[in-house]
Amino acid sequence: MRHSISYFCILAALLSTAYSCQPTPASQGTVQLNNPMPIKFGDPFLLHASDGKYYMYGTSLGDGFEAYVSKDLTQWEPCGQVYHGGDSSQWCVDCFWAPEVYERDGKYYMFFSANYRENPTKELENFKIGVAVSDSPTGPFTDLYNRPVFNPEYPIIDANVYFDDATGKCYLYFSRCCYKHSVESEVADSLRQAGVYTTIEESWVYGVEMKPDFSGVIGEPQLLLCPPSSLDDRQSEWESRSATHKEVNRRWTEGSYIFREGDTYYIMYSANCYQGKYYAVGYATSDNPLGPFTKAENNPVLQENVSNGGRVMGTGHCMSILMPDGERYCVYHGRMSDNPDERVVLMDRMSVSPEGILTVDGPTVGSPQ
């Protein structure tokens, strides 16, 4: 999630420079990956395209998205701005967040969140999900439809798409925003009784089947994940840290990413405030892409290490990528303790054990992989 604790989106007027999108040739020998990576934005998404190159997209611009390209994941070159939004003729106004790009049938499709121009009640958060298309991973991407994919009554962000090639179906996952979504729970009661907050707002993750041409959804969205309601739920402590540590009166479940390993669907998600120290990642499993999902006992699988003498905090909004050699990696953003206002991209090994337990070997800094 990208909005500030004050709930206003502060836009930066950024100028984009055109670059020749050609990565520097990698040196001979074993490639070593070092964190943090030389890319400074949030909500990273890594695409391994059919041309053999890696493309990184993320949240950084006030009027669209930029990308980086690499042959070896160590040396990166900027591609400039690959999508421009906010024009008066477009559906999307501002707050361009969390792009994900998928290669399908020779085309590249970018799903992203932005504020919807149609806002008759003048909501402070009016986020919807759109899709843009290009013939190249470096763009330019143009709106496939000059409207959101669909228009629920509440604001939504953090699109993630799963393609089931066996059935031909595709699924859209997203997060309902915390905005105006006050939820009663034992956690909320305890904070109210302690005089910390009078209300607690929550964001929830949903999934829904999407039309193959991305023009809309099929059926009603299904609630997949939300913060625990009871204090004795073992997930409550780590998923409520931003509220219990008085960062903000919100509990998040956002930034979902789904993949399949064997017969099991794994959905990774982030909890707590993306601006704070306690942003962290957990996961849940199901035998169906639309759930029900069960949260894992070993959550969180990725969190700050400053409290243990490390340098990384605010770890979240992750995705998983399976490399050609069969190794799986987790790509996410974090904040370094010596510069907590800047988000950087990190990438660490992750694995799923034969017993189905997901682990992430991070966050790491300064240890070559």
Side-chain angles (χ1 to χ4, degrees), residues 43-353:
D43 316 321
F45 186 85
L46 181 61
L47 170 70
H48 189 199
S50 57
D51 63 6
K53 299 174 186 177
Y54 296 90
Y55 296 88
M56 187 84 76
Y57 308 86
T59 301
S60 60
L61 304 181
D63 62 348
F65 303 104
E66 60 183 328
Y68 288 78
V69 62
S70 175
K71 288 182 178 178
D72 58 11
L73 297 173
T74 61
Q75 302 206 33
W76 294 85
E77 292 293 329
C79 301
Q81 189 163 354
V82 299
Y83 174 80
H84 288 264
D87 184 83
S88 60
S89 64
Q90 291 176 282
W91 73 269
C92 44
V93 182
D94 51 35
C95 297
F96 293 89
W97 297 339
E100 295 195 356
V101 176
Y102 302 89
E103 184 176 2
R104 302 292 293 179
D105 301 322
K107 298 282 188 179
Y108 296 85
Y109 296 91
M110 174 185 283
F111 290 82
F112 63 93
S113 312
N115 264 321
Y116 190 15
R117 188 175 300 279
E118 185 179 299
N119 189 5
T121 57
K122 301 186 185 303
E123 301 296 335
L124 295 178
E125 298 183 18
N126 193 39
F127 307 112
K128 305 299 176 188
I129 288 168
V131 57
V133 63
S134 175
D135 292 326
S136 167
T138 61
F141 286 85
T142 58
D143 294 312
L144 183 61
Y145 306 103
N146 194 23
R147 59 172 174 79
V149 174
F150 76 119
N151 187 18
E153 296 179 352
Y154 45 84
I156 60 174
I157 58 170
D158 294 351
N160 176 235
V161 180
Y162 178 75
F163 297 94
D164 190 338
D165 292 327
T167 63
K169 294 182 178 181
C170 59
Y171 300 91
L172 174 67
Y173 302 85
F174 60 89
S175 177
R176 172 179 181 162
C177 295
C178 290
Y179 180 69
K180 291 186 177 181
H181 191 219
S182 177
V183 178
E184 289 299 320
S185 67
E186 290 182 5
V187 176
D189 286 342
S190 66
L191 291 169
R192 184 163 46 243
Q193 292 170 9
V196 179
Y197 297 117
T198 57
T199 60
I200 296 294
E201 296 175 317
E202 294 184 358
S203 65
W204 296 355
V205 168
Y206 289 79
V208 65
E209 186 180 347
M210 186 165 50
K211 294 180 180 179
D213 61 359
F214 314 138
S215 63
V217 299
I218 300 172
E220 292 297 319
Q222 302 297 308
L223 175 61
L224 305 182
L225 297 169
C226 60
S229 61
S230 62
L231 287 169
D232 61 0
D233 189 318
R234 69 166 306 278
Q235 310 286 344
S236 282
E237 187 279 324
W238 78 272
E239 291 193 27
S240 306
R241 289 173 185 169
S242 282
T244 57
H245 287 79
K246 304 179 183 179
E247 285 184 339
V248 66
N249 68 323
R250 287 182 162 183
R251 296 203 296 165
W252 281 273
T253 312
E254 61 162 33
S256 61
Y257 183 86
I258 192 166
F259 67 95
R260 183 175 177 177
E261 186 87 6
D263 295 327
T264 302
Y265 295 89
Y266 291 78
I267 187 166
M268 304 178 76
Y269 66 97
S270 298
N272 297 299
C273 178
Y274 90 101
Q275 291 179 312
K277 173 181 178 180
Y278 302 103
Y279 203 44
V281 173
Y283 74 98
T285 58
S286 177
D287 59 4
N288 187 291
L290 291 180
F293 282 87
T294 302
K295 293 182 180 180
E297 289 295 316
N298 62 317
N299 285 341
V301 293
L302 183 65
Q303 61 182 320
E304 59 86 21
N305 62 13
V306 175
S307 58
N308 294 320
R311 299 170 51 203
V312 187
M313 60 185 185
T315 56
H317 199 109
C318 71
M319 57 89 64
S320 172
I321 184 169
L322 190 64
M323 290 302 175
D325 63 0
E327 279 207 79
R328 189 175 287 279
Y329 277 78
C330 180
V331 184
Y332 59 99
H333 76 243
R335 301 172 187 268
M336 306 303 294
S337 58
D338 57 355
N339 188 12
D341 294 329
E342 182 177 73
R343 287 185 288 184
V344 294
V345 178
L346 301 99
M347 187 170 173
D348 282 305
R349 287 189 181 92
M350 63 175 286
S351 60
V352 176
S353 73

